[in-house]
Amino acid sequence: KTVSYKLTVNKKALTVSWDKTSFTYTGSAQCPTATVTGAVSGETITIAYSIKNGDTAVSSAINVGSYTITATFGVTGGQANIKNYTPTTASTAFTIGTRTIAVPTASTTTFTYNGSEQTYLPANWDSISAYVNISNNKQTNAGSYTVTVSLKDTANNKWSDNTTTAKTLTFTINRAKTASYTVTNRTYTGVEQTGVTGTNVTLTGTVKATNAQDGITAYAEPTANYAWSDGTYAKKTITWNIAQAKLTI
């Protein structure tokens, strides 16, 4: 007599867990990793990943957004048949959030005109330079300037004040305090003589004369990048004299 029995072999349950599912943009690919336990001795579960951004399959998750990652399981060793296990796939949602960049802060560096180009940088430049563009920060002449600092990638980065618009800073190149003039009173000689000379100034009025006279008037004004020793740069009025020559009798 033959007796038949129906034998059912149930699938082995796998336990799937995911690590972190919240990330901050770094410019590199990021995604959760699955850990699978429950395989029988002699068999190893393999994992292949696929990622979607919405309904669109992507090769990796780099940019800010919401994603879904699916792990598809396989088996090596033993029977090498994933159908002996459940589940054969697992999915989880994850997000990549916007990276925060510190707002550029004003530098206390002092600039004075020296004839060469000088460069202004925010005080926290070293920590933000990789993520921003900067313009109008290199200048030569004395004056006040507005510097613009903007994020290179506003889709994936924001300032620490939660904005993405460009920031402005101002800096000044001060005039060099080297403007000066020299007054030399003269005695009549019959030829034209110079009574006023200067350095880094524009001289106007009467700086040269021939005849003897008192109260000859000239003017001195620092040129664009220079100032008087006290830091001012207003035009100054100068008087000088040509004394009468003394005859010997």
Side-chain angles (χ1 to χ4, degrees):
K1 182 180 179 179
T2 300
V3 179
S4 297
Y5 295 94
K6 184 178 181 180
L7 179 63
T8 299
V9 179
N10 294 320
K11 293 183 177 185
K12 182 74 164 60
L14 298 175
T15 299
V16 182
S17 60
W18 296 91
D19 60 5
K20 63 183 293 187
T21 57
S22 179
F23 300 87
T24 298
Y25 175 78
T26 63
S28 300
Q30 303 178 90
C31 66
T33 300
T35 299
V36 183
T37 58
V40 299
S41 179
E43 295 188 355
T44 301
I45 302 299
T46 61
I47 307 173
Y49 296 103
S50 60
I51 299 173
K52 285 187 175 182
N53 179 206
D55 294 327
T56 303
V58 293
S59 59
S60 60
I62 297 176
N63 294 320
V64 169
S66 298
Y67 299 86
T68 300
I69 185 168
T70 298
T72 300
F73 307 129
V75 180
T76 59
Q79 300 301 311
N81 186 354
I82 193 59
K83 292 182 180 180
N84 290 321
Y85 293 92
T86 187
T88 58
T89 64
S91 298
T92 190
F94 70 100
T95 59
I96 297 178
T98 306
R99 176 170 55 193
T100 299
I101 308 300
V103 171
T105 55
S107 171
T108 57
T109 302
T110 300
F111 298 92
T112 299
Y113 176 77
N114 60 14
S116 299
E117 184 178 76
Q118 301 184 75
T119 301
Y120 173 90
L121 294 173
N124 57 343
W125 178 249
D126 288 347
S127 64
I128 67 173
S129 60
Y131 316 115
V132 303
N133 294 315
I134 189 169
S135 61
N136 206 43
N137 66 317
K138 295 183 178 183
Q139 301 293 337
T140 300
N141 293 321
S144 295
Y145 301 94
T146 299
V147 176
T148 300
V149 185
S150 58
L151 292 168
K152 291 179 179 179
D153 179 3
T154 56
N156 293 302
N157 297 286
K158 65 179 179 179
W159 297 118
S160 53
D161 62 2
N162 290 317
T163 66
T164 57
T165 53
K167 304 300 183 184
T168 57
L169 299 168
T170 59
F171 78 103
T172 299
I173 297 178
N174 296 310
R175 293 178 179 230
K177 299 178 183 180
T178 55
S180 63
Y181 62 87
T182 300
V183 177
T184 305
N185 291 314
R186 303 291 185 176
T187 299
Y188 176 74
T189 62
V191 298
E192 184 178 67
Q193 299 181 84
T194 299
V196 182
T197 57
T199 301
N200 300 323
V201 295
T202 298
L203 296 174
T204 56
T206 305
V207 297
K208 295 180 179 181
T210 302
N211 296 322
Q213 53 189 303
D214 293 330
I216 304 170
T217 302
Y219 305 93
E221 183 176 10
T223 52
N225 291 306
Y226 297 92
W228 304 119
S229 59
D230 62 1
T232 63
Y233 45 90
K235 182 186 291 187
K236 292 188 176 184
T237 301
I238 305 162
T239 57
W240 61 289
N241 307 311
I242 298 179
Q244 293 179 325
K246 294 182 180 180
L247 297 176
T248 302
I249 300 175

